[in-house]
Amino acid sequence: MIGYYIIAGVLFIVSMYVSNKLKSKFKKYSKVHLQNGMSGKEIAERMLSDNGIHDVKVISTPGMLTDHYNPQKKTINLSEGVFTQRNAAAAAVAAHETGHAIQHAQAYSWLQLRSQLVPVVSVASRFSQWVIFGGLMLMMTTAMGSTILLIGIILYGMGTLFSFVTLPVEYDASKRALVWLENENMLSTQEHDAAEDSLKWAARTYVVAAVGSLATLLYFLSIYMGRD
């Protein structure tokens, strides 16, 4: 299990670095005020309208960087630092989340796949590590432990698959956001560069999560393969 703790430690450090970098970038670009004077809410509503979407609401949600699109309720939930603010960081986040709403409206295949995986992954992620550790413990005393470990690995693999399916969804939403912001001349060159940098660091948090999940999965799989 030493290998597991090493992987977990390295991933924790990398994850913290990327997370802190994202927060510092958001703070930095929150000072780059938009020349057009539009708030995050107004940016999202304008982008929705330009794409012919009129059944999605833009609402405020508590917290920092808690922004997300809810496909069930058809709401773009913008954090307090995005909803009312009029800066490059807010514009980037608002347009990105609107990108998800557009994906939903256009039945973007990767988003549909991710949505289909949600019910399975929500259950699998809840029990996978318990099953894995239970299998590892039982391997010391019974052959059944290997089977239980394999079941846990399969469950964990569902979460890993979800992490990688999430990547094209997030990158595509950022691409849609940046293309729209540029085509509609919503931002100046400086503002656009700031928005692009913000979204790049946000995307890296998903990359770290996916790579970390894969590394952990391969570690447990190596234990299973070498059980004899």
Side-chain angles (χ1 to χ4, degrees):
M1 291 300 292
I2 294 178
Y4 172 75
Y5 291 118
I6 292 175
I7 292 174
V10 171
L11 292 174
F12 176 78
I13 293 172
V14 174
S15 179
M16 286 298 296
Y17 170 78
V18 174
S19 178
N20 288 334
K21 194 73 173 179
L22 173 60
K23 290 177 181 177
S24 68
K25 290 286 185 179
F26 188 85
K27 183 177 180 180
K28 174 183 178 181
Y29 297 135
S30 292
K31 298 177 182 178
V32 180
H33 298 290
L34 299 185
Q35 294 180 10
N36 63 22
M38 296 178 71
S39 66
K41 176 179 182 290
E42 292 166 341
I43 289 284
E45 290 176 339
R46 171 73 178 275
M47 189 171 173
L48 286 171
S49 178
D50 285 355
N51 283 274
I53 300 174
H54 306 289
D55 59 347
V56 174
K57 292 184 178 180
V58 183
I59 63 176
S60 178
T61 189
M64 178 181 179
L65 298 178
T66 52
D67 312 86
H68 64 281
Y69 169 65
N70 188 321
Q72 284 75 38
K73 296 182 179 180
K74 286 195 172 183
T75 57
I76 295 174
N77 302 267
L78 300 180
S79 61
E80 297 165 345
V82 173
F83 189 79
T84 59
Q85 296 301 305
R86 306 170 189 274
N87 53 62
V93 174
H96 173 87
E97 298 305 333
T98 307
H100 286 311
I102 297 170
Q103 289 174 337
H104 187 203
Q106 296 179 354
Y108 179 58
S109 58
W110 285 104
L111 180 64
Q112 288 184 314
L113 176 58
R114 187 175 74 168
S115 298
Q116 292 170 356
L117 288 173
V118 168
V120 178
V121 172
S122 62
V123 175
S125 61
R126 190 181 308 168
F127 298 106
S128 61
Q129 291 198 355
W130 290 102
V131 177
I132 287 173
F133 287 121
L136 290 172
M137 295 297 292
L138 290 173
M139 280 176 63
M140 301 177 185
T141 58
T142 175
M144 182 61 70
S146 295
T147 301
I148 295 175
L149 173 60
L150 179 59
I151 293 172
I153 290 172
I154 293 172
L155 292 174
Y156 194 90
M158 294 301 297
T160 301
L161 174 62
F162 184 81
S163 296
F164 277 91
V165 169
T166 294
L167 294 181
V169 175
E170 295 301 326
Y171 274 95
D172 179 77
S174 291
K175 181 181 178 180
R176 291 172 188 264
L178 292 170
V179 168
W180 179 81
L181 289 169
E182 182 174 6
N183 288 345
E184 298 301 318
N185 296 315
M186 300 300 291
L187 307 178
S188 67
T189 300
Q190 179 190 12
E191 293 164 357
H192 190 276
D193 290 344
E196 184 175 13
D197 197 32
S198 297
L199 293 179
K200 281 183 179 179
W201 280 99
R204 285 168 185 164
T205 63
Y206 292 99
V207 174
V208 170
V211 172
S213 183
L214 178 61
T216 305
L217 175 66
L218 292 177
Y219 172 74
F220 287 129
L221 189 59
S222 69
I223 294 178
Y224 174 76
M225 297 298 291
R227 65 192 185 284
D228 295 328

